[in-house]
Amino acid sequence: SKIKSDVIGRIYERLIPLSERKALGQYYTPPQIVDLIVRLTLKDPNAKVLDPACGSGSFLVKAYHRLLELKGKEKATNQKEHQQILNQVVGVEINQFPAHLSVINLEMQNIAFKSDQINVLVSDFFDVRNFGFNNHHRLASLDKGDARSGTYRFFDAAVANPPYIRQERIKQKEKLLQLMKHYGVKLDRTSDVYSYFFAHVSNFLTPHGRLGFITSNKWLEVKYGESLQKFFLANHRILTVIEFDAGAFEEALVNTCVVILEKEKDAARRDTNVVKFVR
């Protein structure tokens, strides 16, 4: 309970064969980068936070402690405080095993108190339109009709390391393109899967809600990046773009960047925004 990062995920990463993780595009984020993204994105002690590809819970654990910090606390002093913070963090993970690890990770953040509800949804994020969690299940399932369920429609912050899947290997591309059409978002057909994560997550953000992702930096360089850049500029203030001289991921042969966005309807505020480019 004194370790404020995802130790379980580090172990899990070493247990799963590299070939399998590459097939799923799963690379676990270094804790320093998780901390950086959470600090740049999460500013409100009452914020609801979403990780749409939570893996074993690195961002969720860091968000838990960031919320404590913003509330001026070192740790929760009673069960109500502990549960209140757990209620503010929501994760989605397509694979059940790492989703279970996220639940364990969050439960371990204060082992002095019982955790009645932990909001981790086992689902393909692109199938999610609303978040309803049955209070009787720690590992939550999507529940659209139960009036007793807590419903999360909008989030104040979203943080993630989306999967690294190139466009040639996206099995559900037509479904994703239809979803983008529903939103009125035009993304290039050759976009990597993280582009669709940006657009779908943005739909769940409150006005002025912040998004912090670490992704491939290809959207800054290649043709499909133009459509993603236009989406950013038409819907957000781009606050910060951070590129790395060295590889952020030990086993992934891809150059990465962190981008921090803030949802903004006011075109004048978007157009007069100054972006911080950080190397």
Side-chain angles (χ1 to χ4, degrees), residues 168-267:
E168 300 93 334
R169 296 168 57 197
I170 300 174
K171 297 177 181 178
Q172 52 181 349
K173 185 181 292 187
E174 293 306 318
K175 180 178 83 171
L176 297 184
L177 289 170
Q178 284 300 312
L179 182 61
M180 297 302 103
K181 185 177 180 181
H182 172 72
Y183 290 147
V185 174
K186 292 182 179 180
L187 291 181
D188 194 296
R189 291 184 64 91
T190 62
S191 299
D192 286 1
V193 78
Y194 65 81
S195 300
Y196 302 98
F197 269 88
F198 275 114
H200 193 36
V201 164
S202 182
N203 182 61
F204 291 102
L205 287 178
T206 57
H208 309 297
R210 288 193 173 189
L211 181 157
F213 279 9
I214 180 168
T215 69
S216 160
N217 69 347
K218 288 200 296 183
W219 64 271
L220 290 163
E221 302 170 352
V222 299
K223 185 177 183 299
Y224 77 70
E226 293 179 15
S227 62
L228 185 60
Q229 291 169 32
K230 288 177 181 177
F231 167 74
F232 288 168
L233 292 167
N235 296 278
H236 312 83
R237 292 196 306 137
I238 305 172
L239 302 182
T240 310
V241 178
I242 304 170
E243 281 203 276
F244 302 92
D245 283 344
F249 297 92
E250 186 178 330
E251 295 169 335
L253 300 177
V254 62
N255 292 322
T256 54
C257 72
V258 168
V259 60
I260 310 295
L261 307 176
E262 183 174 291
K263 195 163 184 179
E264 180 58 69
K265 288 185 177 180
D266 188 329

Side-chain angles (χ1 to χ4, degrees), residues 35-43 210 240 242 258 260:
D35 186 61
L36 172 70
I37 292 172
V38 168
R39 287 182 177 279
L40 290 173
T41 308
L42 189 49
K43 302 294 184 181
R210 288 193 173 189
T240 310
I242 304 170
V258 168
I260 310 295

Side-chain angles (χ1 to χ4, degrees), residues 69-243:
E69 180 185 353
L70 290 168
K71 294 174 192 287
K73 298 179 181 291
E74 178 67 25
K75 63 180 180 180
T77 55
N78 56 59
Q79 184 171 337
K80 184 179 179 180
E81 285 183 354
H82 173 58
Q83 186 61 55
Q84 180 186 359
I85 297 174
L86 289 177
N87 290 343
Q88 290 179 244
V89 297
V90 174
V92 181
E93 172 54 45
I94 195 169
N95 295 310
Q96 185 153 328
F97 181 58
H100 275 291
L101 297 183
S102 281
V103 173
I104 294 167
N105 248 330
L106 285 169
E107 196 159 32
M108 285 172 56
Q109 297 316 302
N110 196 322
I111 57 177
F113 306 119
K114 184 173 68 170
S115 305
D116 289 328
Q117 180 180 350
I118 295 177
N119 299 320
V120 176
L121 177 65
V122 182
S123 174
D124 180 342
F125 177 58
F126 297 109
D127 290 335
V128 177
R129 301 294 181 272
N130 204 343
F131 294 84
F133 293 106
N134 186 319
N135 292 330
H136 302 293
H137 292 85
R138 286 180 177 166
L139 190 64
S141 59
L142 191 63
D143 183 353
K144 295 179 181 177
D146 190 343
R148 297 170 298 171
S149 297
T151 299
Y152 296 72
R153 180 62 183 87
F154 295 110
F155 293 84
D156 306 290
V159 289
N161 169 16
Y164 285 68
I165 301 175
R166 296 179 62 181
Q167 61 97 7
E168 300 93 334
R169 296 168 57 197
I170 300 174
K171 297 177 181 178
Q172 52 181 349
K173 185 181 292 187
E174 293 306 318
K175 180 178 83 171
L176 297 184
L177 289 170
Q178 284 300 312
L179 182 61
M180 297 302 103
K181 185 177 180 181
H182 172 72
Y183 290 147
V185 174
K186 292 182 179 180
L187 291 181
D188 194 296
R189 291 184 64 91
T190 62
S191 299
D192 286 1
V193 78
Y194 65 81
S195 300
Y196 302 98
F197 269 88
F198 275 114
H200 193 36
V201 164
S202 182
N203 182 61
F204 291 102
L205 287 178
T206 57
H208 309 297
R210 288 193 173 189
L211 181 157
F213 279 9
I214 180 168
T215 69
S216 160
N217 69 347
K218 288 200 296 183
W219 64 271
L220 290 163
E221 302 170 352
V222 299
K223 185 177 183 299
Y224 77 70
E226 293 179 15
S227 62
L228 185 60
Q229 291 169 32
K230 288 177 181 177
F231 167 74
F232 288 168
L233 292 167
N235 296 278
H236 312 83
R237 292 196 306 137
I238 305 172
L239 302 182
T240 310
V241 178
I242 304 170
E243 281 203 276

